Amino acid sequence: MQFGIFTVGDVTPDPTTGRTPTEHERIKAMVAIALKAEEVGLDVFATGEHHNPPFVPSSPTTMLGYIAAQTEKIILSTSTTLITTNDPVKIAEDFAMLQHLADGRVDLMMGRGNTGPVYPWFGKDIRQGIPLAIENYALLHKLWREDVVDFEGRFRTPLQSFTSTPRPLDGVPPFVWHGSIRSPEIAEQAAYYGDGFFANNIFWPKEHFKKLINLYRERYAHYGHGTAEQAVVGLGGQVFMRANSQDAVREFRPYFDKAPVYGHGPSLEEFTEQTPLTVGSPQEVVEKTLAFRESFGDYQRQLFLMDHAGLPLKTVLEQLDLLGEHVIPVLRKEFANGRAAEAPEGPTHAALVARRDAAGGVDAAGVDAAAAL
């Protein structure tokens, strides 16, 4: 089981002071948060990808490469890589390069994002979102698994005898998650390739995500990658903690009420009841997170959103101290208790290499490279 944090990189005014950080301050804060995540013993740091204000992470591999040079253990990932509007050739090259620089501590999450105008900004048609996601990933999958690629599709010029460089580290591509909050087609895509499925369940009730995850598990088994219980699942969540719940609620309420992503909708109490948002003591965070297994089964990665809604860096670093000291050790122990024997561990480069070698040349996703789309 892997635990980590993800950031969306929003630049939001602090409602308690009225101050808005500069883009420079926010970017530097994201780096500081990643370094703190490794310091407190987390397994993963993931950044989103956005190309519009009020967000700053428009170049995830640049940021993650900078963080890789300053860390040793933490897995560096994305919480969205826009498979629809990025060129698959550039994704293949950028993440393979990052994989080498980080000695394998890299994976990524494919997604379509939640900003409609990004499509025309990059010359794409939002009405083709799902077909773009399917075709672009089919090409990316080939580029990482075949040394010489011929490809012709609907959305880009054909490739003839093309080799993406550098080649993946040790001949094993970065592990891929397919992230979705609404689309069964993406759950199907993840299952087809034997990749991971990340249900970023931070805004919608659990019943919706149970359907998506169950579909992914069923189709994962259907395509012959293993049992439904062996499918690789990730979940989101967001937390704010203080030693006692009353202090946590009192401190976080103005951030919840004023932040564009939360404000002007359900109350804080309603939102915490209906979604994974937990505002309270570390013990309350532990209890609510452990309940995820009751709804979704054993899963492999839990990422928390902590640096959003205008929270100052000092407060976020305090949250990470609480997470590392009082929450994660308990979660590791409790999630290990009663875990199904066939439930896989969270993906790492070393494990993927070992699995590839054990399979006699079939890649870590269980897909014969010669038959890849």
Side-chain angles (χ1 to χ4, degrees), residues 66-284:
Y66 183 75
I67 294 169
Q70 302 176 67
T71 55
E72 297 180 355
K73 297 179 180 179
I74 198 163
I75 295 170
L76 303 171
S77 188
T78 56
S79 48
T80 304
T81 293
L82 297 176
I83 188 61
T84 46
T85 52
N86 282 305
D87 184 350
V89 173
K90 197 68 169 73
I91 295 176
E93 294 175 341
D94 284 352
F95 280 90
M97 178 68 76
L98 178 61
Q99 188 191 35
H100 282 273
L101 292 172
D103 296 321
R105 294 184 291 121
V106 172
D107 57 35
L108 67 162
M109 187 190 305
M110 299 300 171
R112 291 179 291 141
N114 57 7
T115 306
V118 74
Y119 284 83
W121 293 341
F122 287 87
K124 306 300 180 182
D125 184 346
I126 192 172
R127 294 170 295 183
Q128 300 297 325
I130 292 290
L132 277 164
I134 293 171
E135 181 178 301
N136 283 354
Y137 185 63
L139 174 54
L140 177 62
H141 194 272
K142 284 175 68 74
L143 290 168
W144 274 339
R145 289 165 174 81
E146 298 180 20
D147 289 339
V148 180
V149 170
D150 293 305
F151 186 90
E152 184 170 354
R154 293 172 54 194
F155 299 110
R156 60 156 295 136
T157 54
L159 292 175
Q160 296 179 346
S161 301
F162 178 78
T163 299
S164 173
T165 60
R167 304 305 297 146
L169 178 65
D170 301 318
V172 172
F175 186 82
V176 170
W177 302 83
H178 298 260
S180 179
I181 61 172
R182 60 188 177 274
S183 303
E185 296 92 339
I186 302 304
E188 177 78 18
Q189 183 183 41
Y192 176 79
Y193 288 102
D195 294 335
F197 181 65
F198 193 94
N200 196 6
N201 56 328
I202 61 175
F203 292 124
W204 291 14
K206 64 183 179 183
E207 288 75 19
H208 170 76
F209 291 98
K210 285 177 68 173
K211 294 178 182 178
L212 282 177
I213 291 172
N214 287 341
L215 171 64
Y216 162 67
R217 290 187 183 278
E218 291 169 5
R219 301 299 288 172
Y220 182 95
H222 168 80
Y223 287 118
H225 301 297
T227 67
E229 291 73 23
Q230 290 174 319
V232 183
V233 173
L235 296 175
Q238 65 271 58
V239 301
F240 186 85
M241 294 173 284
R242 288 305 181 199
N244 64 73
S245 59
Q246 294 88 347
D247 288 341
V249 170
R250 182 171 57 251
E251 185 175 347
F252 188 68
R253 188 180 297 279
Y255 294 94
F256 178 88
D257 288 344
K258 298 295 183 181
V261 72
Y262 288 129
H264 319 299
S267 69
L268 175 59
E269 287 73 19
E270 291 170 330
F271 204 90
T272 54
E273 181 181 354
Q274 298 173 15
T275 76
L277 174 64
T278 309
V279 182
S281 67
Q283 182 58 35
E284 288 174 296

